[in-house]
Amino acid sequence: MRISQYFMPILRDDPKEAEIASHRLMLRAGMIRQEAAGSYSWLPTGFRVLKKIEQIVREEQDRAGAIEVLMPTIQSSDLWKKSGRYNAYGPEMLRIKDRHDRDMLFGPTNEEMITDIFRSGVQSYKDLPRNLYHIQWKFRDEVRPRFGVMRGREFLMKDAYSFDLTREAGQHSYNKMFVAYLRTFARMGLKAVPMRAETGPIGGKDSHEFLILADTGESEVFFDRDFYDMDWTNFDIDYDDVGKVAKLVEDFTAKYAATDEKHDQAEFEGRVPEARRLTGRGIEVGHIFFFGTKYSDPLGCLVQGPDGKQVAVQSGSYGIGVSRLVGGIIEASHDENGIIWPEPVAPFKVGLINLKAGDAETDQACEKIYQGLTAKGVEVLYDDTDERPGGKFKVMDLIGLPWQVIIGPRGLKDGIAEVKNRKTGERSNVPLADIVGKFS
Ligand code: ATP
Ligand code: MG
Ligand code: MG
Ligand code: MG
């Protein structure tokens, strides 16, 4: 992509409304534009990141055996009346009337609808287990939308729903999602600590929130320092190996970690020696929840068991805040100059800077590298504008692409370009002929 033909409205000054780094940087880098309180348009650069995050989430859901569907954003209220949540959900739910005066709503979540879909499509225990997910916009009329996409009203969520015959089978489905979450967040360069969360009526170890640690997080968190020393990268797993999956979950839940809602100071002090007790703030990026027959009972989601009897299916739901993650990753990875994208989610991998646009030789050298990288499938944002070099450097640092390739007449005389790593700040001179080969 050439900046001269792109749409990336950069703001020179800090927007006043932004209280935290990610919101400020997303606005400044021209990634989003606010349309109403808690509702944003995704401009090209922001949209590219959103899609990359969405794709990682999708790949890891698929790998864990979940199956993708797509349900509508606007739902009928009928199923919600049956489950009892139509009234219970409160003012966070956006209620809508259609022209026939029917009660509709903009889905804040999809347990009812998916349970009904499953009910109508499955009759026998032989069709279990299944896990269905979708990645769809949700609307919650938050009391205080803030921090940009971190607490929006309209936001993109991945929500998966598991269906099993027994509690034990349901536990394996839950564990698979737990491991899928570890893998998903690790691929984005994040450590998202699983913390015990409010459990349903069944109790036990059946709800966890995944939080990234950041000073600007809305939850207060209490955890064991040992989490820092765990291996957060090596989650190769055979999802059919029930014991191994359970063991990995066990490893990541054995140590104390809780948000303020579930924190028990006495237990914390009892289990964790003082030197290892850490408190801080965190951002909830995922939440998994096993709720048994909470929806299958009222909605009549039954299957025929092996003994011929009808049984209500055991379910869980598993959410990831896809759009919140865009902000969350920035909170975890930025400096005073701007965003530092982890490569797997970066909008482009390379920023190519032409220091003297209009100079035939420089243009030609840049063009050759731009074409070469593009032909290889490397995503390049080429600053071919006639802005001054200082301004170009600032913008590249602000938008945070992992690599910068800087080409100007001075280096060209020696046949070299400068390559800068955004994260480490390291610079090196690389022969022009080697640049394309350096990236893949
Ligand atoms: P929170 O505690 O932040 O209000 P929640 O517990 O209400 O979130 P869940 O119902 O668990 O949210 O939804 C699953 C995921 O969706 C959350 O873990 C979070 O990442 C994301 N999410 C929830 N509300 C919002 C929002 N208003 N804006 C952006 N993402 C959100
Ligand atoms: Mg909420
Ligand atoms: Mg929450
Ligand atoms: Mg939650």
Side-chain angles (χ1 to χ4, degrees):
M1 181 56 67
R2 297 163 199 275
I3 290 189
S4 64
Q5 295 167 21
Y6 194 42
F7 186 75
M8 187 172 65
I10 299 286
L11 300 181
R12 304 247 166 257
D13 300 312
D14 282 340
K16 280 186 199 66
E17 69 269 30
E19 299 168 63
I20 63 170
S22 60
H23 188 194
R24 188 174 71 239
L25 291 170
M26 286 180 77
L27 289 170
R28 285 204 50 207
M31 293 176 66
I32 50 168
R33 197 183 93 109
Q34 185 177 323
E35 300 301 348
S39 139
Y40 292 86
S41 288
W42 291 81
L43 306 184
T45 310
F47 191 42
R48 290 178 78 99
V49 176
L50 186 69
K51 283 191 288 185
K52 294 224 163 137
I53 293 173
E54 178 181 334
Q55 186 55 23
I56 291 174
V57 170
R58 176 177 289 117
E59 285 170 16
E60 293 304 328
Q61 290 293 295
D62 292 348
R63 193 191 303 269
I67 311 160
E68 189 169 15
V69 297
L70 184 61
M71 292 174 267
T73 52
I74 308 285
Q75 307 184 17
S76 150
S77 62
D78 295 350
L79 295 169
W80 289 75
K81 286 173 180 161
K82 266 197 206 161
S83 75
R85 282 212 292 182
Y86 189 62
N87 290 323
Y89 211 92
E92 246 186 43
M93 182 190 277
L94 181 65
R95 293 150 210 266
I96 305 163
K97 279 215 193 279
D98 72 5
R99 65 165 71 193
H100 305 293
D101 214 31
R102 279 191 286 252
D103 291 325
M104 310 289 287
L105 57 102
F106 196 119
T109 179
N110 281 64
E111 280 83 1
E112 283 80 355
M113 189 180 279
I114 197 80
T115 304
D116 198 51
I117 289 172
F118 199 73
R119 179 193 61 77
S120 64
V122 161
Q123 280 83 40
S124 159
Y125 73 96
K126 290 179 192 155
D127 299 321
L128 298 175
R130 290 290 185 276
N131 184 324
L132 301 176
Y133 76 97
H134 75 160
I135 300 173
Q136 178 62 293
W137 294 91
K138 305 288 187 289
F139 193 96
R140 293 183 185 175
D141 205 349
E142 302 277 355
V143 195
R144 221 147 86 79
R146 56 180 184 158
F147 299 160
V149 299
M150 300 262 268
R151 184 166 297 283
R153 291 198 296 168
E154 191 171 330
F155 60 97
L156 189 60
M157 191 204 286
K158 183 285 299 181
D159 37 328
Y161 303 89
S162 64
F163 301 93
D164 282 278
L165 184 64
T166 63
R167 175 71 180 88
E168 300 76 68
Q171 185 69 52
H172 181 53
S173 294
Y174 182 88
N175 289 349
K176 285 202 282 189
M177 284 292 110
F178 188 107
V179 173
Y181 278 36
L182 291 175
R183 290 184 54 97
T184 302
F185 298 128
R187 279 185 64 184
M188 297 170 192
L190 295 172
K191 273 184 197 172
V193 181
M195 305 207 177
R196 127 181 11 154
E198 207 58 57
T199 51
I202 296 156
K205 284 194 286 186
D206 53 10
S207 182
H208 289 93
E209 290 173 354
F210 289 73
L211 289 102
I212 33 183
L213 305 172
D215 295 340
T216 46
E218 292 185 278
S219 317
E220 198 177 0
V221 296
F222 305 81
F223 61 102
D224 191 325
R225 172 181 283 285
D226 277 3
F227 270 109
Y228 283 128
D229 303 327
M230 301 184 71
D231 181 1
W232 288 85
T233 52
N234 186 18
F235 300 122
D236 263 339
I237 190 93
D238 170 5
Y239 279 113
D240 293 329
D241 190 331
V242 177
K244 279 223 178 88
V245 173
K247 173 72 172 59
L248 191 49
V249 173
E250 178 65 33
D251 290 346
F252 275 82
T253 50
K255 308 225 176 294
Y256 191 96
T259 63
D260 38 12
E261 281 170 16
K262 277 299 264 183
H263 175 59
D264 178 338
Q265 185 64 23
E267 188 192 339
F268 190 39
E269 288 173 13
R271 282 178 53 193
V272 188
E274 192 169 0
R276 286 201 339 238
R277 262 177 245 152
L278 294 182
T279 61
R281 305 199 70 79
I283 301 164
E284 179 190 330
V285 289
H287 192 167
I288 60 179
F289 196 71
F290 191 81
F291 48 71
T293 59
K294 178 170 174 191
Y295 301 98
S296 55
D297 274 335
L299 298 173
C301 184
L302 310 173
V303 293
Q304 189 169 52
D307 56 2
K309 287 199 189 109
Q310 295 285 103
V311 280
V313 300
Q314 298 277 337
S315 285
S317 67
Y318 313 90
I320 290 183
V322 176
S323 50
R324 177 179 285 184
L325 273 165
V326 181
I329 292 169
I330 297 175
E331 286 301 322
S333 186
H334 69 273
D335 64 14
E336 66 282 5
N337 298 320
I339 302 165
I340 302 173
W341 289 114
E343 275 199 29
V345 299
F348 300 89
K349 184 172 200 166
V350 176
L352 176 61
I353 301 177
N354 182 334
L355 290 179
K356 203 170 182 194
D359 172 66
E361 220 181 311
T362 315
D363 288 351
Q364 202 185 24
C366 287
E367 197 62 34
K368 205 167 160 205
I369 285 172
Y370 179 65
Q371 300 292 351
L373 288 172
T374 306
K376 270 178 83 176
V378 177
E379 293 169 309
V380 189
L381 184 63
Y382 173 22
D383 193 343
D384 59 342
T385 65
D386 53 14
E387 293 291 318
R388 285 210 303 270
K392 291 187 173 185
F393 294 143
K394 276 214 173 86
V395 168
M396 277 301 172
D397 278 354
L398 170 67
I399 65 175
L401 309 184
W403 298 96
Q404 297 173 15
V405 173
I406 303 153
I407 297 181
R410 217 183 313 151
L412 280 183
K413 271 196 290 189
D414 304 323
I416 55 161
E418 193 178 20
V419 174
K420 177 180 155 183
N421 179 297
R422 173 67 179 90
K423 187 172 174 186
T424 62
E426 218 174 298
R427 295 163 181 274
S428 55
N429 289 325
V430 177
L432 282 175
D434 296 348
I435 296 282
V436 172
K438 197 177 148 53
F439 300 99
S440 55

